[in-house]
Amino acid sequence: MNELLAKRNAVTELLRLSPVADQLAARFTKAGHSLYLVGGSVRDALLGRLSTDLDFTTDARPDRVQQILGGWADGLWDTGIAFGTIGATKQGVTLEITTFRADSYDRVSRNPEVAFGDSIESDLLRRDFTANAMAIDLSTRTFVDPHGGLEAVTGKVLDTPATPEESFADDPLRMLRAARFVAQLGFEPAKRVVDAMTAMSAEIGRITAERVQTELSKLMTGASPRAGIELMVRTGLADHVLPEVPGMRLAIDEHHQHKDVYEHSLTVLDQAIDLETTHEPTSGPDLVLRLAALLHDIGKPATRKFESGGGVSFHHHEVVGAKMARKRLRALRYPKDVIADVSQLVFLHLRFHGYGKGEWTDSAVRRYVTDAGDLLPRLHKLVRADCTTRNKRKAAQLQRTYDDLEERIARIAEEEDLARVRPDLDGNEIMKLLGLPPGPLVGKAWKHLKDVRLDRGPLEYDDAVAELRKWAADQGIEQPESD
């Protein structure tokens, strides 16, 4: 791309957001201050993907920024004021205006010592990557690009304004951010960036789990998380963030002996992402599905056994893997619902392989659906994605078999409302029929009736009552005389 044309395109994209940008620039100019569109907003303008969340930098101090925005912005907040940032909204556009920064780092603590700068050049020098170290002067619509950011963006190269060693020592999270940009934007890291990441990967230990988790989640929901994960593994960063993933390189998958479990898992991740849009489409990237796809086989190294006939087995790796996934996601401070959903998908991902050629009874199908619960659409995708064989006949047969299972689920669900499989008697009826007060026995009776419901399907009321009374007699529960 011609450099002049790229600049012109970026400015055109910026002007599309007028009058907000024009109004904001005019207010700062009138107040005697400069204002620049900066960082990711400029990068995204060059890439033709500018959003309505815009970042600005200025020589005005935070209290002065608040004065300039007062009475003009639709909304105003100062939650980032300790770091020199004031947030605002105007006509549906979210704005963050940060005073020039010239931070210093002691390279031991996790946070910088915030210091305000006095020039756009010093502000850009402290930024993480050259692609994010560009600015547009809003008063003149001219570029400020002292570190070759435009060339980096057009060439999709990831490099740092200062040396990568200095940049990563200041904030080790930038190494994980590099992997995230590879996944999100398709950039290729410069050799010196890869070398520095490899030498300094252990420094990520200085960063809180919460910050690491945020970057990892952004990476996993990028356009190509596989590329980001591969960079993490290649540099050793994954050894400190997701050690179970590079650990899979030690095991050979018993079904796909031409590739190791690590490569298999990356392929499953790719295929799961494809299914997000082609099979029961979702509105956006599915973090839970993607984490489950990446981690579904992490239990294999711990369960690997070399059989006497020369084969390799991984018995119960789904049970071990679910525990490992839960432990790792907890360490990364993921929300409880994400931890529960990912670990349950890992636990269930092998269940389908007992289906054979459709030998499951309707009872087994009901249990499959009930155990998956709300995760069933994701389980469908994970199981389908888990087919990575190069044998086209075998792959087609597996897909046909799963098509058959989904058709059976749909048929039974239509007949029996599988989405709400519950006992044919509720807790109140159980207490009334057995003369029980609220307590554990009622729960046991409810569970028994649910198991019966799963095995036999819906029961007539009289049959359900008879089943309950039979269970109570077996338990030695004295029952009131029936009316």
Side-chain angles (χ1 to χ4, degrees):
M1 182 187 298
N2 178 274
E3 184 172 319
L4 182 60
L5 178 61
K7 289 180 179 179
R8 188 177 296 120
N9 289 344
V11 171
T12 300
E13 180 66 9
L14 174 62
L15 287 170
R16 184 179 63 82
L17 292 169
S18 296
V20 171
D22 284 339
Q23 292 174 12
L24 190 63
R27 292 183 73 86
F28 274 80
T29 299
K30 184 177 179 180
H33 294 284
S34 57
L35 184 71
Y36 298 82
L37 186 73
V38 72
S41 295
V42 179
R43 179 200 69 218
D44 289 344
L46 287 168
L47 293 172
R49 59 195 297 272
L50 188 61
S51 73
T52 54
D53 293 345
L54 299 179
D55 295 324
F56 301 88
T57 189
T58 178
D59 60 338
R61 296 297 191 257
D63 56 347
R64 184 65 174 137
V65 172
Q66 288 178 306
Q67 293 173 2
I68 295 171
L69 296 177
W72 173 80
D74 297 330
L76 199 62
W77 60 92
D78 62 1
T79 51
I81 195 168
F83 296 95
T85 299
I86 302 298
T89 56
K90 181 69 174 180
Q91 298 174 7
V93 180
T94 299
L95 318 167
E96 285 199 346
I97 301 98
T98 303
T99 302
F100 292 155
R101 295 271 292 273
D103 301 337
S104 61
Y105 297 78
D106 61 14
R107 300 186 177 180
V108 175
S109 64
R110 299 177 178 127
N111 295 314
E113 180 180 333
V114 177
F116 296 135
D118 56 11
S119 72
I120 184 63
E121 289 77 16
S122 63
D123 181 89
L124 296 178
L125 179 62
R126 56 165 289 278
R127 293 182 178 267
D128 52 5
F129 300 105
T130 57
N132 296 330
M134 297 175 288
I136 298 176
D137 186 332
L138 292 179
S139 62
T140 62
R141 303 297 170 124
T142 56
F143 267 72
V144 181
D145 183 18
H147 305 290
L150 179 61
E151 183 180 356
V153 170
T154 55
K156 291 201 169 185
V157 175
L158 201 63
D159 206 347
T160 53
T163 68
E165 289 79 9
E166 291 177 278
S167 183
F168 299 155
D170 282 347
D171 185 0
L173 189 65
R174 289 171 173 174
M175 293 185 288
L176 187 53
R177 196 171 295 142
R180 189 244 290 184
F181 284 135
V182 167
Q184 281 186 328
L185 303 174
F187 279 37
E188 191 68 30
K191 181 180 183 302
R192 69 173 191 160
V193 169
V194 174
D195 291 344
M197 289 175 66
T198 304
M200 302 176 67
S201 61
E203 292 294 305
I204 196 71
R206 288 166 44 196
I207 305 301
T208 63
E210 289 82 0
R211 291 182 71 202
V212 169
Q213 181 248 103
T214 297
E215 284 297 329
L216 180 62
S217 296
K218 291 178 180 178
L219 182 159
M220 289 298 298
T221 52
S224 180
R226 175 177 186 152
I229 294 294
E230 287 176 329
L231 178 60
M232 289 175 63
V233 171
R234 188 163 80 248
T235 59
L237 195 60
D239 292 334
H240 306 282
V241 176
L242 280 174
E244 297 81 4
V245 172
M248 288 190 289
R249 291 178 298 179
L250 302 176
I252 302 298
D253 187 292
E254 74 274 26
H255 299 302
H256 316 284
Q257 295 187 20
H258 59 274
K259 67 185 90 172
D260 62 15
V261 177
Y262 167 70
E263 290 292 338
H264 164 72
S265 297
L266 292 179
T267 301
V268 172
L269 173 60
D270 284 340
Q271 295 183 165
I273 292 170
D274 290 340
L275 289 170
E276 286 178 352
T277 55
T278 61
H279 193 77
E280 298 184 60
T282 54
S283 59
D286 188 336
L287 176 63
V288 166
L289 174 64
R290 294 180 181 203
L291 285 171
L294 179 64
L295 302 177
H296 77 285
D297 274 349
I298 59 173
K300 282 191 170 181
T303 57
R304 180 176 55 173
K305 181 180 178 181
F306 296 100
E307 303 292 352
S308 57
V312 182
S313 66
F314 302 93
H315 296 307
H316 304 301
H317 76 267
E318 75 283 9
V319 177
V320 173
K323 292 179 180 178
M324 292 172 65
R326 189 177 297 112
K327 182 178 180 180
R328 176 54 52 198
L329 296 179
R330 280 176 179 163
L332 288 168
R333 303 292 193 271
Y334 271 97
K336 289 182 179 179
D337 59 334
V338 172
I339 296 171
D341 289 350
V342 172
S343 58
Q344 182 70 349
L345 285 170
V346 172
F347 177 72
L348 291 174
H349 83 274
L350 272 189
R351 184 80 65 86
F352 161 73
H353 293 286
Y355 187 73
K357 296 181 179 179
E359 293 92 344
W360 276 4
T361 62
D362 283 357
S363 171
V365 174
R366 291 188 198 100
R367 289 185 180 277
Y368 185 78
V369 173
T370 302
D371 289 348
D374 293 340
L375 294 172
L376 186 62
R378 286 169 166 147
L379 184 60
H380 287 332
K381 295 172 187 175
L382 178 59
V383 172
R384 288 179 179 276
D386 197 21
C387 173
T388 61
T389 177
R390 293 178 181 175
N391 184 318
K392 292 183 179 180
R393 184 189 62 78
K394 183 178 180 181
Q397 179 59 49
L398 282 170
Q399 296 302 328
R400 283 195 299 270
T401 303
Y402 207 81
D403 287 342
D404 178 70
L405 174 57
E406 287 200 44
E407 289 168 5
R408 285 186 66 187
I409 289 171
R411 174 179 58 78
I412 296 172
E414 184 177 355
E415 294 171 357
E416 303 179 13
D417 193 11
L418 273 183
R420 295 191 295 273
V421 172
R422 300 179 64 81
D424 296 280
L425 303 174
D426 65 21
N428 290 328
E429 290 174 301
I430 291 169
M431 288 188 287
K432 180 180 178 181
L433 289 165
L434 299 184
L436 293 175
L441 276 177
V442 178
K444 289 181 180 179
W446 188 92
K447 183 178 184 303
H448 172 74
L449 288 177
K450 180 176 180 179
D451 287 340
V452 172
R453 168 79 164 76
L454 288 169
D455 287 337
R456 295 163 53 184
L459 300 179
E460 296 294 334
Y461 179 79
D462 289 345
D463 293 334
V465 171
E467 183 61 43
L468 175 64
R469 293 194 180 283
K470 178 178 180 300
W471 174 84
D474 292 341
Q475 299 297 311
I477 298 172
E478 186 175 343
Q479 305 176 48
E481 293 184 9
S482 57
D483 296 333

